[in-house]
Amino acid sequence: MGRGGSHAAPAAASPPWHALPDEVWEHAFSFLPADSDRGAAAAACRSWLRAERRSRRRLVIANCYAASPQDAVDRFPSVRAVEVKGKPHFADFGLVPPGWGAAAAPWVAAAADGWPLLEELSFKRMYVTDDCLEMIAASFRNFQVLRLVSCEGFSTSGLAAIAAGCRNVRELDLQENEIEDCSIHWLSLFPESFTSLVTLNFSCLEGDVDITVLERLVTRCRNLKTLKLNNAIPLDKLASLLRKAPQIVELGTGRFSADYHLDLFSKLAAAFAGCKSLRRLSGAWDAVPEYLPAFYCVCEGLTSLNLSYATVRGPELVKFISRCKNLQLLWVMDLIEDHGLAAVASSCNKLQELRVFPSAPFDAAEQVSLTERGLVDVSASCPMLESVLYFCRRMTNEALITIAKNRPNFTCFRLCIIEPHTPDYITHQPLDAGFSAIVESCKGLRRLSVSGLLTDRVFRSIGAHADRLEMLSIAFAGNSDLGLHYILSGCKSLKKLEIRDCPFGDKPLLANAAKLETMRSLWMSSCSLTLGACRQLARKMPRLSVEVMNDPRRACPLDSLTDESHVETLYVYRTIAGPRSDTPACVQIV
Amino acid sequence: MELELGLAPPNTRPPAAGVVACGKRTFGEAFVKATLPLFVRDGDGDDDDDGARDGVDLHTDNKRKRLVGWPPVKSAHRRSSGGAYVKVKMEGVAIGRKVDVSLHGSYDELLRTLARMFPSGGAGGAEDEAAVTGQHEGRRRGPPYVVTYEDGEGDWLLVGDVPWEAFAKTVKRLKILA
């Protein structure tokens, strides 16, 4: 295969820069940190394009419909690690019907054919079948990493194929997938000679696992660093697993229930005492507070604590978290309450990321005492805090302004006030001023979710100030088309926009059609769009795919609908692959 | 097709009282016990709400109207929060559903929701069978379905034995056997 990099007869001591051989450029590009930088380099000239694409090893396809699998394989022939993302983000909350699409099969097939040396495959929000997993196991002789996040469509049969077929697999990372339990003892299909596992995460698996097999696997995989267990592992077995893998860095405890027994507690404490390298801890579902002190000896070393599914509350919880002085990441339920967050604020000064989830999202009656106070305290005392996801039931502009002043270094700010249209609870004003303060102060903000009572004014601020904003989520906000127009005509770096239940209509969409091609995708549901506007958009912008869905349970008979008819859900994304052919009956491409 | 709901009263009685009077022999009769919960699939008489998915329950009285997908928490979070979404699978149907048990007040309501979730198109074989066997009085029915559930201890039991409240607290998932 000819290189094409010419070796010009040097008049000077070395060839002129534009005649340097490809290997030099490939080496230079290996220092570029971001794919976007590599993409920019590739656009400079043909020789750079050639050098860059042939040496690209990692590829992220952020929208599986933006390009075809064959496009990807043709353009980047030497890829070793691929990540493909499918359904839009709102699929996490049930807004995308089953059967919508995002099948992994075409990607696996193209990869099997074009990237035989593939080592890593990662799918997020896609439909992955057992056939896919079998094909993966059969096609890539050096396959090492399989990561499936929020996927569905496969069962323990598929996992068995991976276990049996991938001799060199290092990471099997299953996060929040829907996995059908076929009662296949897939774990026992890892051969006895197999010792290469570094990461094993099956926390989302609902069925039983054979504990003996798991223990043997853990014992012989001396490099195991990450182990995340599911519901099926009882507490005493957890203790014995930890004793077999004291080198563990990341642990998901799975279920932690069981009544308190002193001897069990002692076993656990002793097991944890042996885990000197433990840095990341998650799980503790159904934990009873009396067991938390068993973790005390690892608290000092913990940098990441994910208790987002743990229903434990009270002083034991706060005491435990307060001992984790080196915490950088904390995910917790709102059961921690304001006073608990105040303790976190004073103890965990290295905190970078905080997420607080609602323990009773649908039950307005059962209220925990978690308000804007908790967030204000943490923002005030944790100088490195840059990423927040916070569910609460009340907020004030003053609190937001204070937070903005204290933390101009936010890169991600997602606030969800649970009841739609909730105003400032003291002044009863919209929360425009508060969110405006956030975007004006946090110049590096990349992700923002707004909530509460908001008028078009806040969108004017966001459009004008949020220059680095890449993802924006809006729900039950705004009062007219202007709101959407401000966003689409501003927000220079916007990539993903998702909107639901806002009074935004056709005009701003059509007026800013060109903007949509600079973005990855736009989702609008329960807004004020008409089919006519969608048709116009599709005509005007051939490189956008305009998908319309009205009732997820019924076929969408576009041809019989008039221009004036209401569009319930619009999903628009740029693509070089043309309209997809795998839409279910309820989705139509305009 | 029309809906026939048969549910035995919670306290065990001899077979005759509880069995759906469908007038034809079905395999369900082989399992006839007083507590056999049955439902027969419906046409779509019930589908008159606004077409939203099971997240919106306009038909349940006195329950808060719930928005689909709001607040934006993943389903795993909903489960642990006390909003009791459980998976429902029907034998032979690849794609399951989820139902919020806490939004229902009785077995009747739950079975109605299940009947609506798995409409005639869901398990094609049954529809054919109904067509083949023919029916009386212009009413077509498929075979009754057995609804089972997994409890907190991992055991599979027939729905309907225990009082509704006890069931609602302990149910982890549902499976409809064809």
Side-chain angles (χ1 to χ4, degrees):
Chain A
M1 191 161 40
R3 273 281 168 175
S6 60
H7 299 264
S14 53
W17 68 268
H18 58 81
L20 289 171
D22 282 4
E23 294 93 350
V24 177
W25 296 122
E26 288 174 17
H27 185 67
F29 296 150
S30 68
F31 292 98
L32 292 174
D35 284 352
S36 51
D37 295 329
R38 291 187 69 112
C45 63
R46 266 197 285 270
S47 59
W48 280 21
L49 169 62
R50 192 179 53 234
E52 194 283 310
R53 72 180 191 86
R54 284 186 186 163
S55 60
R56 179 83 77 100
R57 289 279 187 267
R58 308 194 72 91
L59 190 59
V60 177
I61 308 282
N63 174 5
C64 66
Y65 291 120
S68 75
Q70 202 53 49
D71 288 336
V73 167
D74 289 342
R75 166 133 178 166
F76 301 106
S78 309
V79 157
R80 297 276 188 275
V82 172
E83 176 182 359
V84 188
K85 303 188 199 175
K87 299 182 206 170
H89 175 234
F90 276 175
D92 286 354
F93 317 125
L95 291 175
V96 173
W100 179 86
W107 289 92
V108 177
D113 196 47
W115 293 321
L117 299 178
L118 193 68
E119 295 169 359
E120 296 184 23
L121 199 43
S122 182
F123 288 121
K124 181 169 184 178
R125 288 195 202 99
M126 293 189 68
Y127 191 75
V128 180
T129 61
D130 286 341
D131 283 346
C132 291
L133 297 179
E134 281 161 29
M135 189 177 263
I136 291 171
S139 310
F140 308 111
R141 54 187 161 83
N142 197 26
F143 196 69
Q144 296 175 24
V145 173
L146 179 65
R147 189 172 303 116
L148 300 175
V149 180
S150 301
C151 296
E152 58 180 350
F154 62 104
S155 75
T156 45
S157 269
L159 297 180
I162 297 290
C166 298
R167 259 168 288 132
N168 297 319
V169 73
R170 278 188 288 118
E171 293 185 31
L172 181 55
D173 189 0
L174 307 169
Q175 299 178 28
E176 304 194 318
N177 303 289
E178 300 263 348
I179 306 178
E180 166 117 25
D181 183 15
C182 290
S183 303
I184 297 213
H185 296 294
W186 59 280
L187 268 184
S188 51
L189 287 168
F190 283 109
E192 282 301 317
S193 57
F194 172 80
T195 58
S196 49
L197 219 46
V198 174
T199 294
L200 178 62
N201 174 7
F202 59 95
S203 50
C204 58
L205 211 64
E206 293 201 341
D208 287 326
V209 292
D210 187 331
I211 310 276
T212 324
V213 169
L214 178 61
E215 283 186 342
R216 279 211 304 269
L217 183 63
V218 165
T219 307
R220 67 181 187 269
C221 293
R222 305 291 346 140
N223 288 321
L224 192 67
K225 296 279 186 297
T226 295
L227 178 63
K228 293 171 116 171
L229 308 169
N230 73 347
N231 248 345
I233 315 290
L235 222 43
D236 59 330
K237 295 298 178 187
L238 171 64
S240 74
L241 279 167
L242 285 175
R243 273 199 309 276
K244 294 184 164 52
Q247 76 282 4
I248 212 97
V249 173
E250 178 168 8
L251 175 70
T253 68
R255 165 164 289 167
F256 211 79
S257 58
D259 308 306
Y260 180 81
H261 293 295
L262 182 57
D263 55 339
L264 191 46
F265 173 88
S266 312
K267 256 201 225 168
L268 271 174
F272 276 112
C275 297
K276 307 256 184 273
S277 306
L278 191 59
R279 297 286 169 267
R280 300 192 288 276
L281 186 62
S282 61
W285 313 326
D286 312 329
V288 293
E290 290 79 7
Y291 278 121
L292 289 181
F295 291 122
Y296 279 3
C297 50
V298 298
C299 286
E300 192 79 27
L302 285 185
T303 56
S304 166
L305 183 59
N306 177 356
L307 296 172
S308 56
Y309 295 100
T311 49
V312 63
R313 60 194 304 176
E316 281 301 337
L317 172 65
V318 179
K319 235 193 292 181
F320 165 53
I321 300 180
S322 302
R323 295 172 80 109
C324 303
K325 308 235 178 280
N326 291 306
L327 222 47
Q328 294 167 16
L329 179 146
L330 175 63
W331 293 11
V332 72
M333 288 272 214
D334 59 4
L335 302 166
I336 193 175
E337 300 193 314
D338 286 338
H339 68 90
L341 285 178
V344 168
S346 58
S347 323
C348 308
N349 300 119
K350 303 197 184 158
L351 202 62
Q352 295 172 18
E353 178 174 332
L354 174 69
R355 294 194 192 184
V356 179
F357 295 95
S359 54
F362 307 114
D363 193 346
E366 205 205 300
Q367 305 226 13
V368 291
S369 179
L370 180 100
T371 69
E372 77 282 4
R373 270 253 61 81
L375 187 55
V376 170
D377 285 341
V378 178
S379 313
S381 307
C382 300
M384 311 209 297
L385 187 69
E386 58 176 40
S387 176
V388 167
L389 168 61
Y390 200 79
F391 284 83
C392 62
R393 291 186 188 274
R394 68 176 211 201
M395 187 52 59
T396 63
N397 281 308
E398 183 180 348
L400 285 171
I401 291 169
T402 306
I403 290 166
K405 202 157 48 178
N406 281 325
R407 289 277 70 76
N409 51 323
F410 275 150
T411 54
C412 170
F413 188 75
R414 294 191 280 164
L415 178 65
C416 180
I417 302 166
I418 293 178
E419 190 63 36
H421 306 124
T422 304
D424 178 319
Y425 77 93
I426 294 181
T427 66
H428 306 294
Q429 293 300 301
L431 292 170
D432 297 339
F435 279 105
S436 298
I438 295 280
V439 293
E440 284 165 33
S441 167
C442 306
K443 307 222 184 292
L445 197 66
R446 289 200 294 273
R447 185 165 180 186
L448 176 67
S449 297
V450 298
S451 57
L453 182 64
L454 295 168
T455 72
D456 292 341
R457 273 198 303 273
V458 73
F459 298 115
R460 188 162 79 194
S461 300
I462 296 175
H465 291 106
D467 286 343
R468 302 257 177 86
L469 194 67
E470 295 177 5
M471 183 167 177
L472 177 60
S473 307
I474 308 172
F476 304 102
N479 31 24
S480 79
D481 283 349
L482 263 185
L484 181 57
H485 178 68
Y486 286 138
I487 298 296
L488 290 178
S489 57
C491 293
K492 298 195 193 109
S493 309
L494 196 62
K495 290 199 170 54
K496 288 201 291 187
L497 180 58
E498 47 185 27
I499 302 174
R500 62 165 292 172
D501 294 276
C502 296
F504 300 149
D506 301 336
K507 285 212 263 301
L509 192 67
L510 292 171
N512 295 284
K515 169 80 168 180
L516 298 179
E517 219 180 270
T518 70
M519 291 165 52
R520 187 185 309 164
S521 66
L522 165 68
W523 169 286
M524 286 179 71
S525 57
S526 305
C527 298
S528 308
L529 296 172
T530 66
L531 187 54
C534 299
R535 285 173 171 149
Q536 250 187 289
L537 181 64
R539 269 198 304 272
K540 204 166 162 182
M541 310 289 301
R543 281 191 300 229
L544 292 181
S545 187
V546 179
E547 297 192 9
V548 155
M549 177 174 70
N550 282 337
D551 181 344
R553 296 181 316 174
R554 301 204 151 93
C556 193
L558 266 199
D559 294 335
S560 60
L561 295 174
T562 64
D563 279 354
E564 289 72 35
S565 61
H566 169 76
V567 164
E568 179 56 26
T569 299
L570 170 71
Y571 182 51
V572 181
Y573 52 89
R574 64 182 174 188
T575 177
I576 58 171
R580 63 180 174 121
S581 51
D582 60 352
T583 50
C586 60
V587 174
Q588 286 286 314
I589 300 182
V590 173
Chain B
M1 293 209 182
E2 285 175 19
L3 181 64
E4 275 285 326
L5 277 180
L7 180 67
N11 300 312
T12 314
R13 292 278 187 280
V19 174
V20 171
C22 61
K24 82 177 182 90
R25 232 161 257 291
T26 66
F27 90 87
E29 285 199 4
F31 295 92
V32 161
K33 297 175 197 163
T35 55
L36 197 66
L38 307 173
F39 73 87
V40 177
R41 290 163 302 100
D42 184 10
D44 56 349
D46 286 353
D47 291 353
D48 55 8
D49 60 10
D50 64 357
R53 294 171 67 222
D54 53 280
V56 178
D57 289 275
L58 298 176
H59 72 283
T60 55
D61 27 293
N62 301 330
K63 303 287 181 193
R64 199 165 88 93
K65 174 179 168 179
R66 198 186 284 184
L67 296 158
V68 180
W70 188 266
V73 289
K74 296 187 187 176
S75 54
H77 267 123
R78 289 182 195 142
R79 207 182 315 138
S80 62
S81 75
Y85 270 98
V86 300
K87 279 194 210 174
V88 192
K89 290 241 176 108
M90 175 182 261
E91 231 178 23
V93 177
I95 306 223
R97 299 294 302 267
K98 275 210 164 135
V99 66
D100 188 332
V101 175
S102 68
L103 283 185
H104 299 79
S106 66
Y107 285 115
D108 259 351
E109 283 184 29
L110 177 65
L111 293 179
R112 257 202 291 280
T113 299
L114 292 181
R116 206 185 55 215
M117 278 184 175
F118 293 90
S120 32
E127 199 172 351
D128 295 338
E129 187 181 319
V132 161
T133 56
Q135 290 295 334
H136 329 286
E137 298 146 28
R139 299 167 82 199
R140 296 194 301 141
R141 305 182 199 117
Y145 290 87
V146 174
V147 183
T148 62
Y149 74 102
E150 183 184 9
D151 74 354
E153 292 169 355
D155 296 318
W156 285 90
L157 308 162
L158 282 173
V159 160
D161 280 341
V162 299
W164 168 258
E165 291 73 26
F167 164 78
K169 277 207 182 66
T170 189
V171 59
K172 291 283 174 283
R173 45 186 167 155
L174 293 161
K175 192 159 192 173
I176 305 168
L177 306 178

